[in-house]
Structure formats: C-alpha cells, structure tokens
Amino acid sequence: MPCPGFASCNAPLIDGHARRVTYLRVSVTDRCDLRCVYCMSEQMSFLPKRDLLSLEELDRLCSAFIGRGVRKLRLTGGEPLVRRDVRELFRMLSCHLASGALDELTLTTNGTLLSRHAADLAAAGVKRVNLSLDTLDPARYRAITRWGNLGKVMEGIAAVQEAGIRVKINAVALKGVNEHEIPDLVTWAHAHDMDITFIEVMPLGDVGADRDDQFLSLAKVRRDLAQRFTLTPSAHDSGGPARYLDVAETGGKIGFITPLSHNFCESCNRVRVTCTGHLYTCLGHEEGADLRAALRGSEADDRLHAAIDHALANKPKGHDFVIDRRGAATLPRHMSVTGG
Ligand code: SAM
Ligand code: SF4
C-alpha cells in the first residue's frame, strides 16, 4: 500500500547533465551537542524553530523525492538525533521501505545519543549508520569535539550493533591531531566489524581556525597506511564519492573521500536539503531552490516539484573547492547547515 500523500508526481529526477538523482540527504536540524573544530566555531548561533521544516513538511518533502525515484535517504544535521521528534520522522518514513519505494533509510550521527535510539532505528528499518569518530583517545576526542564524551559514543556503537545495525566509521584526517592514530583507527574498526572511511577537511564555514593547519592530504594518509598494511584496490563501489582499498591483514575495507579533487562529480547522483528546506544541488555551490516556500505556499505539491525541476536543470557539473593560501573558507555555509 502506498504511504499517505505519496507520489503526486513520479517523473524521474534528471539533471541538466543527464545524471539521475537517486540519493537524498536531508538535514533535520542545524543544532548539535558537539562543536567539532573543523565543523563549527565554539560560539554558534542556531536557527529559530519556526525556520526549520516541521515533521510533516520533512515527511512531505522526502516522500515527494521518493515518489520521483530517490532510492536512498540519509538524515543528517547538525546532529540528527538531537531533534526531539526525529524518532517519529524515522517511523513515518519507514513506510517507504515497507512499500519497496525506498532501498535504504539511514543517518549520519556523532553517536552520542545513539544508545537511546538504537531500538527505534532498527524498528524503522535502518540497517546501517555512518558514525563520525576521529580518535580513540578520550582526551583527544574531547579536544576535537570541544566537549564530547567518547564513552557515550562507544555505548552507542555497541547498542546499534546489538540491534543488528551495521556501523561505518567516518573519520576526518586532521594534520598533527589524529594523523599518527589513523592505522590504529583502522585496526579497531575492522576488529569490530566496521568499515572505515577517511575524509579530507573541506573549507565550509568559518570555524575560527586556519584550514591549512587542519588539512591533511589523503594521499599522505594512504602512503602512511601502506607502511603498516597490505593495501589493494577494492572492487567495492558504494555508489558514492569514496574509493576503497582492501586490507589484507584485517579483511576489512578503507574508504577515502577526497572532496577537493573532482573525481566523483561526473557520476554525482545526490542532492541535499537543509533543515530550512533549501535544496542544494551541489555541496560546493550556492545554486538550489527554496523548497520551504514551495511547501508552505501550497497544499498541493505542484510548486514543490516545479522548484525541484528548476534547480535540477541547473545542477552544476562539479564543485570547485579551494583552500586558498590565506586558509580562508571558500564557502560561507558550515557543513552542519548542509549536512554531511
Ligand atoms: N553530526 C553528525 C556527524 O558528525 O556525523 C552529522 C553531521 S556532520 C556535519 C557530517 C559529517 O561531516 C561528519 O562526518 C563530519 O566529520 C563531517 N564534516 C563536518 N565538517 C567538515 C568539514 N569542514 N570538512 C570535512 N568533513 C566535515
Ligand atoms: Fe556536530 Fe557532526 Fe559538526 Fe561534529 S561534525 S559539530 S558532531 S554536526
């Protein structure tokens, strides 16, 4: 049975470069219980509640995209689990899994609140989560996140694994911060049956730090890892920007996301919606559409679909991030606004 209010339009989402969009990431809040040094400044001001999409608007928006061929939906933030009604949203969206319209419903989380949500996520049909963790050292974790408690994250990992949900670790490679710990992160993740992906710092938003000081090239990370492990290119393709290597010693995989190179733009199948309903068709560009106005402007979805189509026709071919010599952020938006 179709979900309530589902599929007022089912034309596939094809952009101006003939790429089909099948993957939607939606930020459900700009708030977070942490302040990671590469993501936020310590003093952040967050949006008033009225600016955020309501639960019903989020459900309507996601359902509209699913009706047009989105097969994978990721909720993110900010920290998605700090939003009070996020449980209900997962429950509402799970009907698309049950109907077969959606292949995967998932989230990206820092893991601090995961233990209390594990059972509900499993019940909603979540099979995998991406969990962001850059260090296994409690003091370093506190320093990177400014006040996080590593123990809570470890509890969260155990709870979701217990509930039958697979975990993938995402770690930002940070020069001189977790650089020397990267092989240990790999060993730990693989020993706990989790793949791990490393990410380069992207110049998104002013975080009160010099991006040049934070940036660690994954080419260097890979060279360092090759000193410790036997690495071979993996046939695995997640359909996303990561490139994978198999690790002979552990039997696990390591992913590398190098957003500053253009290697994944040609096959880009994704778009993002912020917690205020702004559609960004590329992480590195300002082009997009105000879907909140379209949602609030009419009870029917015609305006919404027209806004989506207009934005897709103008989806950029690729991004052009640069960490310039002064280390200034090239885009004013924080990652927590667009969602990772
Ligand atoms: N709070 C959740 C979390 O941390 O997983 C979800 C949102 S967070 C913005 C999503 C991902 O973006 C995290 O893996 C985080 O490490 C990454 N991230 C944040 N700012 C970044 C930046 N400037 N460059 C690269 N990755 C960044
Ligand atoms: Fe919060 Fe995630 Fe950003 Fe860290 S990376 S401050 S956990 S939104």
Side-chain angles (χ1 to χ4, degrees), residues 12-174:
L13 299 162
I14 310 232
D15 77 4
H17 304 281
R19 296 170 296 194
R20 187 164 181 166
V21 172
T22 55
Y23 181 7
L24 174 67
R25 292 188 176 209
V26 179
S27 173
V28 298
T29 178
D30 61 333
R31 288 166 198 262
C32 187
D33 53 345
L34 303 180
R35 296 287 183 277
C36 301
V37 291
Y38 47 79
C39 180
M40 294 191 182
S41 61
E42 190 160 10
Q43 306 300 332
M44 292 286 289
S45 45
F46 295 110
L47 296 162
K49 203 169 163 205
R50 64 175 181 278
D51 287 355
L52 303 193
L53 295 185
S54 69
L55 195 65
E56 291 69 27
E57 286 166 341
L58 283 166
D59 181 41
R60 196 176 142 203
L61 177 116
C62 293
S63 299
F65 274 95
I66 294 165
R68 299 191 60 185
V70 160
R71 304 290 312 179
K72 178 169 171 179
L73 175 60
R74 177 177 299 280
L75 301 191
T76 179
E79 172 48 40
L81 298 181
V82 303
R83 182 160 170 154
R84 213 165 286 170
D85 51 12
V86 75
R87 263 195 184 93
E88 184 58 11
L89 183 61
F90 274 103
R91 199 194 57 71
M92 289 159 100
L93 293 170
S94 70
C95 74
H96 298 295
L97 289 171
S99 75
L102 192 63
D103 294 329
E104 184 170 22
L105 174 61
T106 186
L107 73 154
T108 303
T109 176
N110 62 29
T112 57
L113 301 171
L114 206 45
S115 60
R116 71 171 82 145
H117 286 273
D120 289 330
L121 291 173
V126 173
K127 298 268 186 291
R128 299 191 300 171
V129 302
N130 283 4
L131 190 139
S132 307
L133 182 62
D134 311 321
T135 177
L136 297 172
D137 179 278
R140 193 170 301 123
Y141 183 76
R142 186 163 282 274
I144 293 173
T145 60
R146 291 200 177 93
W147 53 66
N149 176 346
L150 183 62
K152 293 263 174 242
V153 181
M154 294 301 173
E155 276 171 31
I157 293 175
V160 284
Q161 288 191 326
E162 182 79 5
I165 296 174
R166 284 192 65 82
V167 179
K168 193 192 86 183
I169 301 294
N170 284 340
V172 177
L174 295 163

Side-chain angles (χ1 to χ4, degrees), residues 309-340:
D309 285 332
H310 185 260
L312 270 187
N314 296 305
K315 179 168 157 64
K317 199 163 183 188
H319 63 67
D320 35 40
F321 289 126
V322 199
I323 293 183
D324 72 22
R325 260 168 292 145
R326 285 161 293 122
T330 50
L331 278 176
R333 271 183 273 142
H334 287 92
M335 185 75 152
S336 55
V337 172
T338 332

Side-chain angles (χ1 to χ4, degrees), residues 190-208:
H190 290 178
H192 291 82
D193 198 23
M194 301 180 286
D195 287 329
I196 181 163
T197 292
F198 293 100
I199 307 170
E200 279 174 352
V201 172
M202 286 182 264
L204 296 173
D206 180 9
V207 291

